[in-house]
Structures are given as C-alpha cells and as structure tokens.
C-alpha cells in the first residue's frame, strides 16, 4: 500500500527536488496516507485544540455571532462559514448554544463547515452543511468566517539567508534519505513578501513564508460581501516571527503531544505546523477590502465575551466533584497565557458598521446583558465529543478521583 512517504519520493524522482511547501502538502494531505487523511481522529492523540478542550469556547463564539448578526442588521440568512472544521466539534458546540439564544437569530443562522480531509461527523445535524473542499469556494457571504488553527497547517516555503542572498530550502533524496538543499527561490513572491513586510533576514537565519495563507485570506475576502473574519491561531506579527530567537524558523512536528524538530521523520504519522504570520493575513486581506479591526490574545477575547461569568455559574449546577473539576480545569486551559490563552485572534471586517465587537472589550453593555441572561441559558459542559484533559494530565485518576484541584 502506498504511503505519504512514497508520494514524496515519487514527486522528487519526477522533479529532482521539491519545495518544502510541496513536501508539507503531501505529508499532511496526500490521499496515500497523509497525516490528516489516514489516522482517524488526530485531535487528542497528538494534540488538543480549544474546541475540544471545552464547549464554552463555542458558546462564547455563538454569543459573539449573535451580536454580529445584530450589528449587520439581522440579515436572513446569516451565514457562518468555518474552513478547516476538522471533526466538527466547534460547529456542533456553536449550533447547540445558538439554539438557546434569540429565536430569530437561530432561525437566520446558516452554518457551513468546510474541510478538505475530514468527513461530516456521524451526529451531523440538519442545521450543519458539510462541504469537502480544498480552498474557499463560497461566495456572496453576509455573516462571518471563523477558523481555528487552520493557518498553521497550511504548507509553507522554507528559506535561508546565505552569503547575502535569499535561498530557498528544497527537499531531495540522498541515498534514499530526505535532505535539504539550497537553491534559487522557486518564485519571486518569497522575496516580495519580505519586502512588503519590511523584514530583513540576517546571515544564516532560516524562516518560513506562507504564500498559501495569503491566497486563502484573499479568497475569503472575495467571498465575503459584508461581515467579519475571525482567525484563531498561534503565531505573531512578522516583526515577532523573524527574530534572533526564531532564527531557525518555527516548524514543529507533533507526535503523541511531544514536539519534535525533525519534520522528515515519521512522514504521514505526525502533524507539521508553522507559526501563523498575522501581518501576511492583514496585508493580503486588505487587497480584497478586508480591514483589520484588531488583534488580541485568545484569553482576552474569551474574557471580554464573559468566560468568567460561565465559570462562576458552573458551581451552582448540580454535578459530581470530578465532573465539576474536569470542567473547571478545561475552562482554565482556554485562557492560560502560556497555553491556549496565549493564541492570537485576528478580527477583520468588510463593509461593516463602526460599532465595536463585544470581543474587543469596548461594548460595556454586553457583559451586563449576559449577566441577566445567564439564568435562562444552559451551562456548557464537557460531552463525549470533547477531551477529558484532567484524565489526560492525571491518568491515574481515571478510576478514582478526589478533589485534587482547589
């Protein structure tokens, strides 16, 4: 049976050498056993994400979407598009919580999940449209485009500054082993990107350039008629990515929750990621009239939307100690500055009103209104589709548990 490694070596045999972007594409998405195609559910086995950590993440986004719907004049339909939807956990959590919000909002909401590798979840409701597609094929959107940890998984080019000249790092074979060789850039877009972002690599530095991300956000901008784009990911602005501390680049592979630096080992069995460049997303987005609204940490984003209110409400709900503490730990994981809470959230808009989004923390009435609504809203709690982070952290407590967290 052909593997992703076979696909890589076959392409090298045909071309002599390939870009790292071509290698990453095959390692992650090849039909012949690419990471996202051949290993069942990868979230939880090798890493976890905010949606799988706790459903309050989706609930708070649903509240933000409801406000966006109002800001846009309560359009019907109100379209929410989620590219890179994975196993559909975020989509399901948003739809579940949205069903308890303003009835007119729920009636207007049309949710489409897009993923190039994953099929629709087994419990996919009629309210969720699932599209298997590469790229962003949706047009005439009035609403919001949401992505979570999509950009970091888009294939990147690797480059290096050598003898004062920008070189691209290609992948080739040496005695059956994958190795890197330097050569002239495969496209002038690589040097153009550094010029546009006013970045200068020092001698010997290695770095990544994500041309796919620029094209993706431009496709999103062209598809959006009126509304917002919310992008969750780990990364930084260009000025924070190309620094002495990151002079070897940001490529990381994950296997069983352990980061590994060699992206050429266990091809097809490990995730490969590179930090998102939010400067690229902002500059490329503006070319299709997507205006940057702001960027903040995920922790601040969730706090502005009221995660603290949900955390205070939870002890009032009837449940066992273990369930309460498992939910409490997972909610905290979402806002930890050194973890998921340190991820960045980029907000962009097109043909939008001047009123601020609640997530920016400038709408004083939002949390006051949420306090009044809480008694009529469900408390988001861990379900089978989410991960038990506490059991993962303390595996010896799976059978017996006593109040370990206070």
């Amino acid at each position: 049976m052909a593997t992703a490694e076979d696909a890589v070596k076959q392409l090298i045999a045909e071309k002599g050498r390939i870009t790292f972007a071509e290698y990453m594409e095959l390692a992650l998405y090849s039909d012949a056993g690419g990471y996202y195609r051949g290993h069942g559910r990868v979230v939880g086995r090798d890493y976890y994400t905010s949606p799988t950590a706790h459903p309050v993440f989706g609930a708070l986004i649903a509240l933000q979407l409801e406000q966006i719907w109002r800001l846009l004049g309560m359009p019907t339909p109100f379209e929410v598009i989620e590219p890179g939807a994975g196993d559909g956990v975020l989509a399901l959590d948003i739809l579940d919580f949205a069903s308890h919000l303003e009835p007119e909002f729920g009636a207007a909401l049309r949710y489409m999940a897009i993923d190039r590798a994953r099929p629709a979840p087994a419990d996919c409701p009629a309210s969720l449209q699932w599209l298997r597609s590469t790229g962003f094929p949706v047009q005439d959107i009035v609403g919001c485009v949401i992505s979570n940890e999509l950009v970091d998984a888009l294939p990147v080019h690797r480059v290096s500054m050598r003898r004062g000249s920008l070189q691209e790092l290609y992948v080739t074979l040496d005695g059956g082993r994958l190795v890197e060789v330097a050569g002239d850039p495969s496209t002038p877009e690589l040097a153009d990107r550094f010029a546009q972002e006013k970045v200068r690599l020092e001698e010997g530095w290695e770095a990544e350039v994500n041309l796919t991300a620029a094209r993706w956000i431009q496709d999103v901008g062209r598809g959006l008629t009126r509304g917002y784009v919310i992008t969750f990911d780990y990364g930084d602005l260009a000025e924070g990515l190309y620094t002495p501390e990151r002079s070897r680049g940001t490529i990381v592979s994950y296997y069983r929750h352990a980061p590994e630096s060699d992206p050429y080992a266990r091809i097809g069995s490990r995730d490969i990621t590179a930090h998102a460049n939010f400067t690229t997303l902002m500059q490329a987005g503006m070319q299709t009239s997507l205006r940057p609204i702001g960027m903040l940490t995920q922790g601040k984003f969730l706090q502005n939307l009221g995660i603290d209110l949900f955390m205070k409400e939870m002890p009032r709900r009837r449940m066992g100690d273990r369930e309460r503490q498992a939910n409490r730990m997972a909610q905290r994981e979402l806002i930890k500055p050194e973890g998921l809470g340190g991820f960045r959230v980029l907000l962009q808009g097109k043909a939008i009103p001047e009123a601020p989004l609640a997530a920016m923390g400038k709408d004083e009435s939002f949390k006051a209104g949420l306090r009044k609504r809480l008694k009529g809203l469900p408390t988001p709690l861990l379900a089978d589709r989410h991960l038990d982070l506490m059991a993962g952290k303390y595996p010896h407590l799976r059978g017996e548990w006593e109040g370990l967290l206070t």
Side-chain angles (χ1 to χ4, degrees):
M1 180 180 296
T3 65
E5 183 171 357
D6 293 333
V8 168
K9 291 182 176 179
Q10 176 62 36
L11 188 59
I12 292 174
E14 295 171 2
K15 301 179 68 173
R17 64 184 186 180
I18 60 176
T19 66
F20 188 86
E22 291 173 305
Y23 166 76
M24 190 170 169
E25 170 74 23
L26 291 172
L28 295 181
Y29 302 107
S30 170
D31 290 332
Y35 179 75
Y36 287 112
R37 292 190 183 272
H39 294 276
R41 188 181 188 189
V42 296
V43 179
R45 188 192 66 203
D46 295 325
Y47 59 88
Y48 63 88
T49 64
S50 296
T52 57
H54 199 276
V56 75
F57 183 73
L60 292 168
I61 292 175
L63 287 167
Q64 178 60 90
L65 291 172
E66 183 188 43
Q67 189 218 16
I68 286 175
W69 170 70
R70 291 185 179 282
L71 291 176
L72 293 178
M74 298 184 287
T76 299
F78 174 72
E79 298 170 289
V80 176
I81 315 296
E82 185 196 347
D87 291 322
V89 175
L90 179 58
L92 295 172
D93 286 344
I94 289 174
L95 288 169
D96 281 353
F97 200 78
S99 68
H100 299 280
L101 300 179
E102 187 70 29
E104 288 83 359
F105 168 65
L109 179 60
R110 301 289 184 273
Y111 202 112
M112 175 186 288
I114 304 173
D115 199 89
R116 64 179 298 182
R118 310 299 295 173
D123 54 349
C124 186
S127 56
L128 174 59
Q129 182 182 355
W130 195 273
L131 180 63
R132 290 282 296 274
S133 177
T134 300
F136 191 83
V138 193
Q139 298 293 317
D140 303 320
I141 302 162
V142 176
C144 187
V145 178
I146 301 171
S147 69
N148 181 71
E149 294 193 62
L150 167 67
V151 177
D152 67 83
L154 297 177
V156 296
H157 292 257
R158 278 179 36 80
V159 298
S160 178
M161 183 61 70
R162 302 188 178 187
R163 298 180 181 177
S165 175
L166 186 68
Q167 296 281 285
E168 181 155 10
L169 298 179
Y170 294 88
V171 184
T172 189
L173 284 167
D174 181 6
R177 184 172 60 93
L178 293 177
V179 296
E180 290 183 346
V181 294
D184 292 337
S186 60
T187 169
E189 290 182 82
L190 300 175
D192 291 345
R193 177 61 50 75
F194 288 115
Q196 291 165 12
E197 297 177 0
K198 297 180 172 57
V199 168
R200 182 180 183 277
L201 297 186
E202 299 294 336
E203 182 69 23
W205 285 15
E206 296 176 358
E208 299 85 34
V209 180
N210 197 331
L211 300 179
T212 307
R215 296 174 187 129
W216 172 77
I217 197 66
Q218 288 174 345
D219 286 343
V220 171
R222 282 187 282 266
L224 186 68
T225 299
R226 186 164 61 96
Y228 297 82
V229 181
I230 306 177
T231 305
F232 297 84
D233 222 314
Y234 54 90
D236 208 335
L237 297 172
E239 62 202 51
L241 287 178
Y242 305 113
T243 64
E245 294 76 20
R246 290 174 170 155
S247 61
R248 308 310 294 175
T250 65
I251 289 287
V252 178
S253 297
Y254 287 95
Y255 184 77
R256 299 295 189 265
H257 295 274
E260 298 179 346
S261 59
D262 180 7
Y264 302 114
R266 288 195 265 251
I267 300 172
S269 297
R270 300 183 308 163
D271 193 16
I272 304 173
T273 73
H275 280 37
N277 184 335
F278 288 99
T279 300
T280 293
L281 296 177
M282 287 189 282
Q283 288 188 350
M286 285 190 287
Q287 294 178 25
T288 54
S289 301
L290 276 181
R291 176 171 61 87
I293 301 169
M295 189 171 78
L296 66 169
T297 65
Q298 177 174 299
K300 192 63 177 175
F301 177 95
L302 298 178
Q303 289 162 358
N304 289 340
L305 290 172
I307 191 171
D308 56 318
L309 300 180
F310 282 97
M311 293 175 76
K312 290 176 182 177
E313 183 69 17
M314 192 178 61
R316 302 188 181 101
R317 306 290 174 164
R318 296 184 61 182
M319 66 183 77
D321 282 346
R322 192 216 181 278
E323 183 182 5
R324 180 176 291 108
Q325 296 292 2
N327 278 275
R328 186 176 171 187
M329 175 182 170
Q331 289 173 333
R332 286 176 171 175
E333 287 293 321
L334 293 173
I335 56 176
K336 277 186 177 180
E338 68 277 15
L340 295 172
F343 282 24
R344 303 300 179 93
V345 188
L346 175 63
L347 305 170
Q348 296 165 283
K350 182 176 182 179
I352 56 173
E354 291 299 321
L357 293 181
M360 294 299 294
K362 298 178 182 179
D363 184 346
E364 299 296 336
S365 64
F366 180 83
K367 288 182 77 170
L370 180 57
R371 286 188 185 92
K372 295 179 181 179
R373 300 176 72 182
L374 274 182
K375 289 186 178 180
L377 294 173
T379 299
L381 298 174
L382 293 168
D384 289 343
R385 63 176 172 259
H386 305 103
L387 301 176
D388 189 340
L389 298 185
M390 193 170 74
K393 187 171 184 179
Y394 306 108
H396 60 289
L397 299 176
R398 293 185 192 208
E400 294 184 17
W401 182 86
E402 292 183 358
L404 192 146
L405 300 174
T406 59

